[in-house]
Amino acid sequence: MPSMRTDQPRINIRRAALIFVAGIITASCSEKPAPDREKDASEASRELVRESEVKTEELQPGEDKIGEDCVAFVRSTKVVPARAASADCPGCRAGGTDLLAFRHMKTDSVSCSGDTCTVLVTIRAVFNPGGGETIAGGLTAWIPPEQRSAYLSGHTPSGEQAYRVQITYKRRGEAWRAVEFDRAPVE
């Protein structure tokens, strides 16, 4: 039995060393303190938001693109002399002066399916002072007959006008193009 007594301290030292090493491994594999976890989680969520913004921009027209198209649509509404809008020259440019001044627009909804998106917007504009013989292009169909006749007789309608427009976009490669402007459905 004396040999057992000499071996017994070695077993205790081995056990102590094993427990010590296991404790170090356990401590190094344990969870990070709460502030570090929150920091990592917030950084990860910010990265996911950045990635989703990039994917969203690819999947639908951007707000800037929609805004540019709305400005161009408003500016294409012109007051022209009657002869410029005649059927004698269907391919001729109408020319004329801007009927409306763009104020701002609000995107009401965006609905996409594949390479086509339907965007509902509310465009706000005011009539530019003036008069003329004919109104052509752009928002002509949205202008009520009484406002149209008042403007053409020299009485500029006052106040900001709101026009609900449905824009159809088609994707060509990486770019979105407005292919149709129509009246937005009544809600």
Side-chain angles (χ1 to χ4, degrees):
M1 288 226 188
S3 63
M4 283 213 152
R5 286 187 178 187
T6 56
D7 287 343
Q8 195 161 356
R10 283 189 180 158
I11 293 174
N12 287 339
I13 291 173
R14 285 184 187 158
R15 279 187 186 158
L18 185 59
I19 291 170
F20 178 73
V21 171
I24 290 174
I25 292 172
T26 302
S28 68
C29 293
S30 68
E31 290 187 22
K32 294 180 181 180
D36 290 342
R37 275 187 302 199
E38 290 172 9
K39 181 180 173 186
D40 290 346
S42 69
E43 287 175 7
S45 67
R46 273 187 254 140
E47 185 61 32
L48 287 174
V49 167
R50 277 187 235 121
E51 287 177 13
S52 70
E53 287 173 353
V54 170
K55 289 177 184 172
T56 300
E57 289 175 6
E58 294 171 0
L59 297 176
Q60 66 188 40
E63 193 71 22
D64 289 346
K65 172 69 175 149
I66 296 168
E68 289 170 10
D69 291 335
C70 289
V71 169
F73 189 56
V74 168
R75 294 201 66 214
S76 70
T77 312
K78 304 285 186 181
V79 178
V80 295
R83 61 177 158 42
S86 73
D88 296 340
C89 186
C92 296
R93 221 177 114 104
T97 58
D98 292 351
L99 173 71
L100 299 163
F102 178 86
R103 289 295 181 242
H104 58 91
M105 57 77 65
K106 178 181 151 253
T107 302
D108 299 318
S109 70
V110 178
S111 172
C112 298
S113 176
D115 288 344
T116 303
C117 284
T118 301
V119 179
L120 299 178
V121 297
T122 301
I123 297 173
R124 299 208 176 266
V126 295
F127 282 90
N128 286 322
E133 298 175 4
T134 299
I135 297 174
L139 286 162
T140 301
W142 282 262
I143 300 170
E146 57 277 359
Q147 283 186 336
R148 191 176 312 155
S149 61
Y151 187 85
L152 293 174
S153 65
H155 303 288
T156 304
S158 63
E160 191 173 78
Q161 308 297 313
Y163 303 103
R164 296 228 336 116
V165 180
Q166 176 177 301
I167 308 169
T168 302
Y169 283 90
K170 295 278 187 181
R171 183 169 39 198
R172 305 265 193 282
E174 295 296 316
W176 286 97
R177 305 244 186 263
V179 295
E180 182 179 30
F181 292 83
D182 200 356
R183 286 185 190 264
V186 178
E187 295 178 339

